[in-house]
Amino acid sequence: MTDDRDRQADLDWLYGPSGAKPEPQQPQRSAATADDASQRSAANGRPRVSTPGYDAPAERVRAAGQADAQHPAARPRPVQAAPQQRSAARPPSSPPPQTRPVVRRRKRRSPLRLVGVLLLAFIVWLIVVPIIALNRMGSVDELESAARLANQPGTAVLLVGSDARGDVEGARADTMMILYKPPSGRSVLISLPRDSYVTIPGYGEDKLNSAYSYGGAALLEQTVEEATGVQLDGYLEIGFDGFVDLVDAVGGIEVCVDEAVTDELSGLDLPAGCSKIKGEMALAYVRMRYSDPEGDIGRAKRQREVIGKVVAKAATPSTILNPVKYWSTAMAVSKMLAKGDQTGTGALVSAALALMSVSGGDGLSLVVPIATTDGWTSDGASVVIWDDASAAELFREIAAGDTSNLDRFAG
């Protein structure tokens, strides 16, 4: 019993009388509200329980305050203001944002730019190849410019077909033509028969091709200038070996004959009608004369025919646009031609333009006016005699740079 009373006293001390449990803390209410609550508790039959922290007697509260004053450690610490929170949008410790490395995309090349590059390369190719061919071209000694006639308008170049070959000693000029390009108007290609009876300076009267045998290109040029009155601005010599390669490079040419031709001396063998011939047969075609009813005149016509057809095929797009064919044709030309050491690039360009004009039908292809092909010298040699009056008229107009009325000499 004593223990129970002690326990009850402890409970009363802790919780108040009747051992009631403390009510949860409620917010302060007004006096009227508190009285109403007391009345409701009494009406419900529940005794009001007081707790030390809420409604203890004033004496106990004062005692507790004095105890706290005696123990400084128990004093409440001053309330410190909470640190102000910084804006979450800009945290102070966040590292600077990392940027990704910029990856540059390769720009796609424009198709137009590629086409332009290819076009430029093609133009350079068209220019470089002839320059290479020109540097590979052979050279021969020709007439000094100081010994030539007075200047004349336009450009006149002497084309000489030589039979100089690797297996033949010496050389002869079987083909001689004047290629003239006026300042304006039509170009003209004039054949000078090899057996033309002319005066050779220092050797008297003889066949024209004998001048080449006596003194080479220089004497031949001097002879032609004195016989025609036309100043020669350049010299080009055509070798037979290169001629064969050139015809093959352009793929051959087509020739037509009225009757079948068989010539043992030249090796020509053609059926009647049109045939496509290549290198060796084309060479036989331009050299044959004994089986030709017109002799040397007929041969000069075939020579101009073949030159025109070869140039026409060399100037076609199929040759120019094909790099392999363009190269092989240019190299064949460089092997076939030898230029005079006094012949400049301008004369060569003019000659090329004149040949393309004649081969394309815009120019004229003529033979010097002939009086007879059955002339004979005092020593019994067969020669060709020019029509001196007509020939002088023809060359006089050329020397004046006028080719507009030369059609009357064609035929």
Side-chain angles (χ1 to χ4, degrees), residues 175 177 189 238 243-244 246-248 250 252-256 268 270 277-279 281-288 298-314 336 355 358-359 365:
T175 304
M177 291 177 275
L189 181 64
I238 304 172
F243 176 81
V244 171
L246 179 59
V247 175
D248 288 337
V250 299
I253 58 173
E254 185 179 68
V255 297
C256 300
L268 181 64
L270 289 178
I277 60 177
K278 290 192 175 182
M281 191 60 65
L283 178 60
Y285 183 75
V286 297
R287 295 187 69 186
M288 184 267 294
R299 180 169 70 169
K301 291 180 180 179
R302 291 194 309 274
Q303 291 169 349
R304 297 196 308 274
E305 173 195 356
V306 170
I307 289 176
K309 289 182 177 180
V310 170
V311 172
K313 290 201 69 174
M336 178 185 72
L355 276 176
V358 173
S359 63
S365 181

Side-chain angles (χ1 to χ4, degrees), residues 72-146:
R75 296 177 184 177
R77 297 179 180 179
V79 178
Q80 297 180 357
Q84 296 181 357
Q85 295 182 355
R86 298 185 180 182
S87 174
R90 298 179 62 184
S93 60
S94 59
Q98 296 182 355
T99 57
R100 294 182 179 179
V102 179
V103 179
R104 296 183 179 179
R105 296 181 178 179
R106 295 181 62 184
K107 295 182 179 180
R108 295 181 178 179
R109 293 183 177 179
S110 171
L112 294 178
R113 183 179 180 183
L114 180 59
V115 171
V117 171
L118 293 177
L119 181 60
L120 179 61
F122 177 69
I123 294 174
V124 172
W125 172 257
L126 293 181
I127 297 174
V128 169
V129 171
I131 294 176
I132 296 175
L134 183 61
N135 291 331
R136 293 186 177 185
M137 191 180 297
S139 178
V140 297
D141 296 332
E142 60 173 321
L143 188 65
E144 294 292 338
S145 58

Side-chain angles (χ1 to χ4, degrees), residues 14 22 25 50-56 60-61:
L14 181 61
Q25 183 178 357
S50 62
T51 59
Y54 294 93
D55 53 352
R60 185 176 295 175
V61 173

Side-chain angles (χ1 to χ4, degrees), residues 355-372:
L355 276 176
M356 287 189 288
S357 176
V358 173
S359 63
D362 296 329
L364 292 174
S365 181
L366 309 174
V367 179
V368 63
I370 302 295
T372 180

Side-chain angles (χ1 to χ4, degrees), residues 18-30:
S18 304
K21 294 180 179 181
E23 295 180 0
Q25 183 178 357
Q26 298 180 357
Q28 294 182 358
R29 293 170 291 180
S30 62

Side-chain angles (χ1 to χ4, degrees), residues 16 29 50 58 65 77 98 103 129 200 214 234 240 290 294 296 305 314 320 357 382 384 393:
R29 293 170 291 180
S50 62
R77 297 179 180 179
Q98 296 182 355
V103 179
V129 171
I200 301 175
Y214 296 150
F240 285 152
Y290 291 106
E294 296 183 280
D296 198 35
E305 173 195 356
I320 298 174
S357 176
S382 175
V384 174
E393 188 177 352

